[in-house]
Amino acid sequence: MDMAPSAQPITPTALPTVNRRRVATAAALASAVEWYDYFVFGIAAALVLGDLYFPAGSSTAGVLASFATFAVGFLARPIGGIVAGHLGDKRGRKPMLVLALTLMGLATTGIGLLPTYETIGVAAPILLVTLRVLQGVAVGAQWGGAMLLATEYAPEGKRGIYGSVVQLGVPIGVVTANTVFLLAGAFTTDTQFAAWGWRVPFLIGLFVLGLAWYIHAKVEETPEFRDAEKALAEREKSQQGSPLRTILRDHLGTVFLAGGSFAVNTATFYILITGVLDYTTRELDMKKSAVLTVSLCVSLTQLVLIPAAAALSDRYGRIRIYTLGAVGIALWAIPLFLLIDTGSLLWLAVGTFVASCFLSIMYGPQAALFAELFTPEMRYTGASLGYQIAAVCGGGLAPFLMVLLLETTGTSMSVAAYIIALSVIALLSIKVLADRARSR
C-alpha cells in the first residue's frame, strides 16, 4: 500500500461518536450551502447575467463578460484562503468557518437584490463584480475550515471517508442549485424568469446565516487544533514565524504541487456544469431545462462515488486512487466532447457521467490528502492555498477559456486538449508528491 505524502500523521483522538457525527454533519452542511451559493452564480452566468448586466455587443461577448465575472470570484479565493488559513491556524477552525458562511450568505443575497444595467447603468456590473469577489473570498475561507473540522475529528483509518463528507458539499450544491433553477424556470415564463425568477435561487442564500449561528453555538473546536495551539505558542515565543510565513518560506513547493495536482479536476468540473451548459444551449440548440436535468442527475451519482473513492483511499492509499482519477480524465477528454457534439441528450448524459466518475475518484480522497501534506499548526494555511491555487488556475478560467477556444478554433477538440494538458500537469505533480512520500 502506498502512503500519502504526510508531513505529520493526524493522530486520532478518543471522542464520543455523537460528537464526531455532529461535527461531520455540520461540516457537510457548511460545505453544501456554501457551494450552493457559489454555483447559482455559475448557472445564472450561463443563462441570464450576460444580457442583464453586460448588454452591449453580441451574445458571445455578453457570455464572455459574464464568465469573466464568474472567474473573478476564483481570483479572490486565494485571498480568503490566505486570510482564513492564517487566522484559522492561530485562532481556530470554527470561527473562520462561521465568518465565511456569514460573508457568503450576505453576498449571495446581495446579488439576488441587485438592480440590472437597465436600472442603474454601469454601477450594476461594478456591484455584481464586487459581490462576486466577496463570494470568492468566502468560499476560499470555507473549504479549509470545513475540511479540517471533519478530518481532525476523524477516527483512525477513516480520515478519507470523513473528509469526503465535505467534498459531498459540491454535488449537493450543484444538485440543489440546478433544482432551484429548474423550479424557477418551471413556474415562470421566459419573461418572468429574466425579470425576477432568476433572483429566487440567490435569495435562498440568506438561510446560510442560520447555519453559521448553529456552528458557532453548537460545534466545538477540533482537538488537534487545541493541541497545535501549544506548539504554535512555542514557535511564536522563539520567533520562528507565523503559519503563513512558515508556509511561504519552507513549504511553498508543496503548496504548488498540491495545486498542480488538482487543477485538472476543478477545471473539468466547471467546464461540465457551466461551460457545457452555455455551449449546448447556445451553440447546439439544446433545451436549457433538459441540460440542467442531466447535470442534476449526474451530480446525484457523485453522492455515492465520492465517499466510495474516499473509502478506497483509506484502504489502498491516497496517491493510488487520486492518480487513477487523473489518468481517467485525460483518457476521457476527447470521447467526452465527441459525445457532446452529437447534440443528443442521451450521449451528453453518458459523456458527462463517465467524466464525473473520474472527477469523483480524484475528489473523494483530496481533502484527506491535502490535510496530510501539512502539520496541524500550518494545515489550514497550506491546504487552503493549495486548493485555491488549483481553483484559480483551473476552475476560474475554465468556462471563459472554453468559450474563447470554441470561438477561435471552431472545434470542441481544443477544449479537450486543454483538459489533457492539465491532466499531464496533475500527473507530474502527483509523481513528485509520491516520490517525496517514498523518500520519507
Side-chain angles (χ1 to χ4, degrees):
M1 181 175 75
D2 67 331
M3 294 183 65
S6 178
Q8 176 177 312
I10 301 177
T11 305
T13 305
L15 292 168
T17 301
V18 65
N19 286 351
R20 296 187 196 277
R21 290 176 178 171
R22 179 191 299 162
V23 171
T25 301
L29 287 174
S31 178
V33 298
E34 191 92 352
W35 286 116
Y36 165 82
D37 283 5
Y38 201 67
F39 290 146
V40 291
F41 192 100
I43 296 173
L47 298 178
V48 297
L49 294 185
D51 293 335
L52 295 176
Y53 291 91
F54 307 96
S58 66
S59 61
T60 300
V63 171
L64 281 171
S66 183
F67 280 160
T69 305
F70 178 72
V72 164
F74 286 82
L75 295 175
R77 281 170 61 168
I79 299 173
I82 290 170
V83 174
H86 179 68
L87 295 176
D89 281 329
K90 296 186 71 173
R91 304 288 178 247
R93 300 10 177 157
K94 188 180 80 168
M96 291 303 103
L97 180 57
V98 170
L99 180 61
L101 289 168
T102 302
L103 182 60
M104 178 63 86
L106 294 175
T108 304
T109 304
I111 295 172
L113 298 173
L114 186 64
T116 63
Y117 186 93
E118 184 179 3
T119 304
I120 60 174
V122 72
I126 292 174
L127 289 172
L128 182 65
V129 170
T130 302
L131 291 169
R132 180 59 178 170
V133 167
L134 293 178
Q135 277 195 319
V137 171
V139 82
Q142 173 272 144
W143 181 79
M147 178 271 289
L148 292 180
L149 273 183
T151 58
E152 290 186 347
Y153 265 101
E156 184 177 4
K158 295 186 177 180
R159 193 179 312 132
I161 194 69
Y162 267 67
S164 73
V165 302
V166 175
Q167 309 299 72
L168 286 177
V170 171
I172 292 173
V174 172
V175 168
T176 309
N178 280 330
T179 299
V180 174
F181 265 101
L182 282 170
L183 291 174
F187 287 100
T188 59
T189 64
D190 289 344
T191 302
Q192 291 171 333
F193 182 81
W196 58 267
W198 67 271
R199 297 180 181 275
V200 174
F202 287 92
L203 297 177
I204 292 175
L206 194 60
F207 290 103
V208 175
L209 300 178
L211 180 60
W213 174 87
Y214 174 82
I215 292 175
H216 172 73
K218 302 295 184 181
V219 175
E220 297 179 0
E221 188 54 79
T222 71
E224 281 208 44
F225 171 74
R226 292 196 295 269
D227 292 340
E229 276 186 301
K230 302 173 184 176
L232 183 60
E234 291 300 321
R235 290 173 65 89
E236 290 181 339
K237 286 180 182 178
S238 60
Q239 297 182 341
Q240 293 184 31
S242 67
L244 177 59
R245 190 177 298 115
T246 303
I247 285 288
L248 295 178
R249 185 186 63 225
D250 301 328
H251 303 283
L252 195 56
T254 302
V255 169
F256 280 115
L257 287 171
S261 76
F262 192 62
V264 65
N265 187 288
T266 186
T268 306
F269 174 77
Y270 283 103
I271 284 172
L272 291 180
I273 70 163
T274 303
V276 168
L277 176 59
D278 166 67
Y279 177 56
T280 54
T281 55
R282 185 167 56 87
E283 299 290 342
L284 303 181
D285 295 322
M286 299 178 72
K287 291 184 178 180
K288 173 184 67 179
S289 59
V291 177
L292 283 173
T293 301
V294 168
S295 179
L296 187 153
C297 293
V298 168
S299 296
L300 283 172
T301 65
Q302 292 184 308
L303 298 178
V304 176
L305 294 171
I306 287 174
L312 288 174
S313 80
D314 281 333
R315 182 170 182 178
Y316 298 108
R318 318 280 179 230
I319 292 293
R320 188 172 296 164
I321 303 302
Y322 201 68
T323 303
L324 177 62
V327 170
I329 292 172
L331 295 177
W332 189 247
I334 291 176
L336 168 65
F337 280 97
L338 290 175
L339 293 174
I340 291 173
D341 284 345
T342 64
S344 162
L345 199 64
L346 174 62
W347 290 121
L348 170 67
V350 172
T352 54
F353 168 71
V354 175
S356 177
C357 289
F358 292 124
L359 292 180
S360 300
I361 290 172
M362 283 191 76
Y363 202 56
Q366 184 252 343
L369 174 62
F370 278 30
E372 291 169 345
L373 291 173
F374 306 96
T375 54
E377 62 270 18
M378 65 182 75
R379 185 172 289 147
Y380 201 141
T381 303
S384 292
L385 274 178
Y387 188 97
Q388 303 314 331
I389 286 173
V392 172
C393 298
L397 295 175
F400 180 88
L401 287 176
M402 178 175 175
V403 174
L404 202 59
L405 287 169
L406 290 169
E407 286 295 311
T408 54
T409 66
T411 173
S412 63
M413 290 300 101
S414 59
V415 184
Y418 168 58
I419 293 174
I420 292 171
L422 289 177
S423 298
V424 172
I425 293 172
L427 290 169
L428 291 174
S429 300
I430 293 168
K431 184 180 185 305
V432 175
L433 289 173
D435 288 344
R436 287 185 176 186
R438 282 191 290 269
S439 71
R440 294 192 188 96

